[in-house]
Amino acid sequence: MLPSMITLASLISFGFVMSITPGPNNIMLWASGANFGLRRTLPHMLGINCGFGSLLLLCGLGLGALFEAFPVVQLILKVVGAIYLLYLAYRLTTASFKANSEDKRPLSFWEAAGFQYANPKAWVMGLTAMSTFALIEQSFALNALVITLIFMVINLPCISVWALFGTAMGRFLSSPRRLRIFNGLMATLLVATVVLVVR
């Protein structure tokens, strides 16, 4: 049985708010759109969407219970996430100095998908969505699948807004100096999210 209309409306609202608000994914998409344009950022966007979808489904199928039983697993993921965010911040700060380098590229589909498992905001979204909206008295697996599909449909347009905004800003950031300042600001925002991860 599918969620009721009230539950569905609440889920859509929750999914929209959580997907459109700033977080590591949206900051990176903003920067990627500005540095590489929308077309080259598409694999990054799809990686986020599919990676988060898989994480959400796993949360619905019991991964949250693993964290409750073994809190050290969640701590390890937090540390890995913090280290990876610092690495991405480093990549952003050096991107404008590598204009002619083959190393300058956006995140791939698999890098973006894998990052979801180290992204603290993704875990909060996934665990909250499943614990709040999945109905225990009904088929939990079916509920988890429906919630995952709804979230993925909502998530993709929301994160696309950030990539599009970055792409539009890319025209303004055509000078190396402006791009360097922008990348520095984006890197600073990513480092700030590390504080939220490790606290």
Side-chain angles (χ1 to χ4, degrees), residues 38-121:
L38 184 62
R39 186 181 62 81
R40 292 185 66 195
T41 301
L42 280 174
H44 185 168
M45 289 167 44
L46 294 174
I48 289 171
N49 191 251
C50 293
F52 176 69
S54 67
L55 182 147
L56 187 56
L57 190 58
L58 286 174
C59 285
L61 297 177
L63 197 56
L66 176 67
F67 287 167
E68 288 181 13
F70 304 100
V72 70
V73 175
Q74 190 171 18
L75 177 62
I76 290 169
L77 282 172
K78 278 187 174 187
V79 172
V80 169
I83 292 169
Y84 192 61
L85 284 172
L86 290 173
Y87 165 71
L88 291 172
Y90 166 76
R91 271 185 62 175
L92 267 175
T93 57
T94 58
S96 55
F97 299 109
K98 297 179 180 178
N100 300 317
S101 170
E102 293 180 6
D103 188 48
K104 184 180 179 185
R105 61 173 181 79
L107 287 185
S108 70
F109 174 91
W110 293 110
E111 286 172 327
F115 172 65
Q116 302 320 298
Y117 288 84
N119 180 357
K121 185 179 178 184

Side-chain angles (χ1 to χ4, degrees), residues 116-147:
Q116 302 320 298
Y117 288 84
N119 180 357
K121 185 179 178 184
W123 283 109
V124 169
M125 288 167 66
L127 294 170
T128 303
M130 287 302 169
S131 62
T132 304
F133 298 104
L135 305 175
I136 297 172
E137 66 272 13
Q138 299 176 7
S139 169
F140 203 82
L142 177 60
N143 267 257
L145 181 60
V146 170
I147 289 169

Side-chain angles (χ1 to χ4, degrees), residues 3-13 132-135 143 147:
S4 69
M5 291 304 291
I6 294 175
T7 303
L8 186 60
S10 299
L11 173 62
I12 291 170
S13 297
T132 304
F133 298 104
L135 305 175
N143 267 257
I147 289 169

Side-chain angles (χ1 to χ4, degrees), residues 138-156:
Q138 299 176 7
S139 169
F140 203 82
L142 177 60
N143 267 257
L145 181 60
V146 170
I147 289 169
T148 298
L149 292 175
I150 290 171
F151 229 107
M152 288 178 72
V153 168
I154 295 166
N155 178 261
L156 191 57

